[in-house]
Amino acid sequence: MEDDELALLRDTAARIAESLRPADTTRLTAADPSRGAAVLERAGLTGMRAAGATATQVAVVATELARTLAPVAYVDREAGDDAALTLALLCADLVGVARGALDDALQHAHTRAQFGRAIGAFQAVAHLAADAAVDLAAAEAFASHAAWAVDALPPDEATAVATAAREVCAEAAVSVCETAIQILGGMGMTWEHLAHVRLRRAHAERRRGVAGERKAGALPDLRALDSPAEAAFRSELIAWIDRFDAGAHDSAGRPRLAWHRALYAAGYVGVSFPAASGGRGMPAAYEAIVNDELGFRGMPPVPPIGHLAHALRRFGSDAQRGTHLADLLSGAVAWCQGFSEPGAGSDLAALTTKARRDGDAYIVDGAKIWTSDAVDSDRCLLLCRTGGAGHKGLSMLIVPMDAPGVRVDPIVTAFETREFAQVFFDGVRVPVGDLLGAEGDGWGIAMALLAYERGPADIGWTSRLAAAVADMRVRGTGGDPVLAHRLDHAERWLYALRLRVRTRLRMRGPEADGDPGPEGSIDKLLLTRVDKLIGRLRLDLLGDEAMTGYLWSRAAGIYGGTEQIQRDIVAQRVLGLPRGR
């Protein structure tokens, strides 16, 4: 079924569900007689043929009915020996209950005022709502996949998927319902309000046993979901990896650039960029395939230049794209990104590096910090101030790193690397033609660029985490049941992250014309959560051998914008909560 058909079905089901929404708990009695095929009867009202309904169709209707707590006990549908179908419907119900709980909480956060403003403007409330949105996004991705699996996979695989999905959906639903009560305050603890009903229902379905469900077992490899064209591309990539000779591409001076150039020469950097710019014109999902296979094979990731390349592609002039884009993708010229400053990290609008117009050039003075790969870079995409205070006074310049007045001081990290540096600009002269966009466009360009930098697939991180989990599976947990449970838990949440990433990449279109937008902050928060989960587990399982990875997992909540800033973005730009003062 096409996405637009599912959307129409969802909208129709939502209208029916709203008509059945109970006003309070009086219509929600334990003796509700609706059982069996009730969900299909309701689905029939949407115009869907009940007899031939797919699990995906039924799950869409089930989710909407659960969202409003419509009095239809569709999860009690007699499914016979079809454990996967029963579990998939439970997942749909859990997602619907959680969605309804969050909707109620958001409405309250908009209308309830304290200290002269809506409570949703308070960061404490906004961050609760943002975390709930991350839980819900993971559950929605897994629930949709579970329903699809019932229709598309062999029964054993479908049951494995649906069993794992139920675990994630139940955990997420309980968390979201608990959060909703916290946001609702005392109102959420009254008998008449539906909040406690939602929480009771989430717990009941979390504990419910389903005959035939699997308590453990490997989840199907998501790489098996490739389309024929994607599978052919993956096979081509695997063959190249198998032939790759690292020694033939070794470079004592700039090993990262040597890898970049070898990967580009083989056709695996910027595959979603137009051919005229040095890419292959493929859909954005192919970028994830490259990152996946490199991560699974223990190879270095794709050079992290996608966010810079997208900024040039979208905002550069024809002359700038012609001069810089192909060289950036190929690694012929190395680039870095100059954003953070000693006094402006999360608050980029407060940066003080200035660019003063002087005839046909800008004179740049200031300093940047935490600039990745600055030591080896030839160009810097520099966010600087050309106007007054605030974000409206910011512009973006392309600055040669060998220009007089540029100084780079490496920073040694806790992992004993020198990939970061502080960069000083002292009277650096930059031609006006190297202004990206127009004066004052810097903030918009920076926000679009950061949306790509936060993407789990764009930075090649999901496959590294998957490889880490696979390694722990091979090593085993030494018979420790607690560690075994934590490994199962981490693997399920990583699977949810990867499902979310697949869906989001397919929404970008064939040439990645749109940036990930504010919902990319949900992806980044989910990535951060999973990264920390796996980093701590590896440390507890492997000891000092895993310390570097653990320390990197702590950095996941910092680079690309801190967790706290990502929560602000989700709360305000995704959930629509008011800004704080």
Side-chain angles (χ1 to χ4, degrees):
M1 181 179 241
E2 298 297 326
D3 288 344
D4 55 349
E5 293 181 88
L6 277 180
L8 178 61
L9 176 62
R10 183 176 289 106
D11 290 344
T12 306
R15 288 195 296 273
I16 294 170
E18 287 293 342
S19 70
L20 299 171
R21 178 193 288 270
D24 52 40
T25 59
T26 58
R27 289 179 60 194
L28 294 171
T29 65
D32 188 334
S34 302
R35 297 182 66 82
V39 65
L40 292 180
E41 292 170 7
R42 296 297 182 190
L45 297 176
T46 68
M48 182 179 75
R49 290 180 56 201
T54 65
T56 297
Q57 291 172 318
V58 176
V60 165
V61 178
T63 299
E64 292 306 318
L65 293 172
R67 182 180 59 81
T68 63
L69 287 178
V72 179
Y74 49 82
V75 293
D76 289 328
R77 171 184 174 181
E78 298 299 332
D81 295 328
D82 197 344
L85 176 59
T86 302
L87 289 163
L89 290 181
L90 279 169
C91 291
D93 189 85
L94 286 160
V95 166
V97 168
R99 169 58 66 187
L102 183 56
D103 287 347
D104 285 352
L106 292 175
Q107 182 180 21
H108 181 74
H110 274 289
T111 57
R112 173 66 168 169
Q114 291 286 281
F115 305 102
R117 51 180 168 157
I119 63 171
F122 292 98
Q123 194 176 71
V125 174
H127 285 194
L128 282 174
D131 284 340
V134 174
D135 281 325
L136 184 56
E140 286 175 335
F142 222 148
S144 295
H145 188 63
W148 171 87
V150 173
D151 297 323
L153 298 182
D156 283 351
E157 291 187 10
T159 301
V161 169
T163 299
R166 199 271 291 269
E167 294 293 329
V168 170
C169 291
E171 182 181 344
V174 168
S175 178
V176 171
C177 290
E178 289 176 341
T179 296
I181 289 178
Q182 185 68 28
I183 294 174
L184 288 163
M187 183 184 301
M189 295 304 298
T190 60
W191 176 258
E192 292 81 3
H193 199 282
L194 299 176
H196 73 94
V197 179
R198 297 185 191 281
L199 184 56
R200 291 172 192 269
R201 184 154 160 173
H203 274 295
E205 292 176 8
R206 177 181 64 84
R207 295 191 302 265
R208 175 177 172 169
V210 174
E213 69 180 308
R214 294 169 58 169
K215 298 300 181 185
L219 286 163
D221 191 337
L222 287 176
R223 290 176 288 183
L225 303 182
D226 287 346
S227 68
E230 290 170 342
F233 177 80
R234 192 184 295 273
S235 295
E236 167 200 311
L237 171 61
I238 291 171
W240 177 81
I241 293 173
D242 289 341
R243 295 193 305 270
F244 180 74
D245 180 1
H249 298 85
D250 186 34
S251 170
R254 303 172 106 182
R256 291 188 184 184
L257 288 180
W259 166 246
H260 183 161
R261 291 164 183 169
L263 197 61
Y264 177 82
Y268 298 117
V269 176
V271 296
S272 65
F273 281 78
S277 300
R280 294 174 64 169
M282 293 177 162
Y286 285 68
E287 302 276 11
I289 291 174
V290 176
N291 279 310
D292 264 0
E293 288 305 324
L294 293 177
F296 286 128
R297 298 301 190 92
M299 306 289 282
V302 174
I305 49 88
H307 54 306
L308 298 169
H310 280 295
L312 277 172
R313 178 184 62 83
R314 291 191 56 197
F315 301 104
S317 65
D318 289 342
Q320 289 170 335
R321 287 194 294 268
T323 300
H324 298 298
L325 191 50
D327 284 346
L328 169 58
L329 290 175
S330 69
V333 177
W335 286 60
C336 61
Q337 166 194 329
F339 278 24
S340 294
E341 297 183 0
S346 295
D347 184 12
L348 277 179
L351 65 81
T352 59
T353 296
K354 294 181 180 179
R356 173 178 54 85
R357 181 71 180 264
D358 180 27
D360 61 354
Y362 289 96
I363 308 301
V364 180
D365 291 283
K368 297 292 178 178
I369 198 167
W370 312 121
T371 307
S372 299
D373 301 324
V375 173
D376 290 331
S377 290
D378 305 302
R379 297 281 186 277
C380 178
L381 193 59
L382 182 73
L383 186 63
C384 54
R385 188 166 302 285
T386 55
H391 66 271
K392 293 182 180 179
L394 301 179
S395 299
M396 197 78 76
L397 290 175
I398 300 170
V399 180
M401 293 294 283
D402 61 355
V406 177
R407 188 177 94 244
V408 179
D409 289 351
I411 297 171
V412 180
T413 70
F415 340 112
E416 300 182 25
T417 64
R418 294 174 179 264
E419 61 211 82
F420 299 117
Q422 187 164 8
V423 185
F424 299 91
F425 303 87
D426 183 9
V428 179
R429 191 172 184 86
V430 180
V432 169
D434 285 335
L435 174 69
L436 192 67
E439 279 199 17
D441 287 349
W443 183 260
I445 297 173
M447 292 305 101
L449 182 153
L450 286 171
Y452 283 102
E453 190 180 14
R454 292 164 182 158
D458 293 297
I459 63 174
W461 211 246
T462 51
S463 59
R464 299 190 205 185
L465 296 177
V469 168
D471 177 65
M472 286 188 284
R473 284 284 181 208
V474 170
R475 294 174 183 246
T477 57
D480 187 324
V482 174
L483 288 175
H485 173 76
R486 288 173 59 193
L487 180 54
D488 288 342
H489 180 255
E491 186 172 31
R492 289 191 292 264
W493 277 90
L494 172 61
Y495 204 79
L497 170 65
R498 295 180 67 203
L499 288 168
R500 165 86 180 175
V501 167
R502 285 178 63 89
T503 300
R504 296 269 296 146
L505 285 174
R506 280 162 172 73
M507 291 171 63
R508 287 195 195 169
E511 297 207 4
D513 287 329
D515 64 53
E519 283 209 353
S521 291
I522 291 180
D523 305 340
K524 178 60 162 60
L525 285 167
L526 184 56
L527 167 66
T528 299
R529 181 186 299 181
V530 174
D531 197 349
K532 289 182 176 181
L533 196 67
I534 291 173
R536 179 59 185 271
L537 176 59
R538 280 179 58 80
L539 182 65
D540 291 346
L541 184 62
L542 306 177
D544 286 345
E545 174 187 342
M547 180 58 74
T548 296
Y550 165 71
L551 291 172
W552 257 117
S553 75
R554 303 312 304 173
I558 301 171
Y559 64 75
T562 67
E563 290 179 81
Q564 290 69 33
I565 294 299
Q566 302 313 308
R567 291 187 180 103
D568 284 344
I569 294 171
V570 172
Q572 296 161 10
R573 299 182 59 195
V574 178
L575 303 179
L577 291 174
R579 291 180 179 273
R581 293 176 186 169

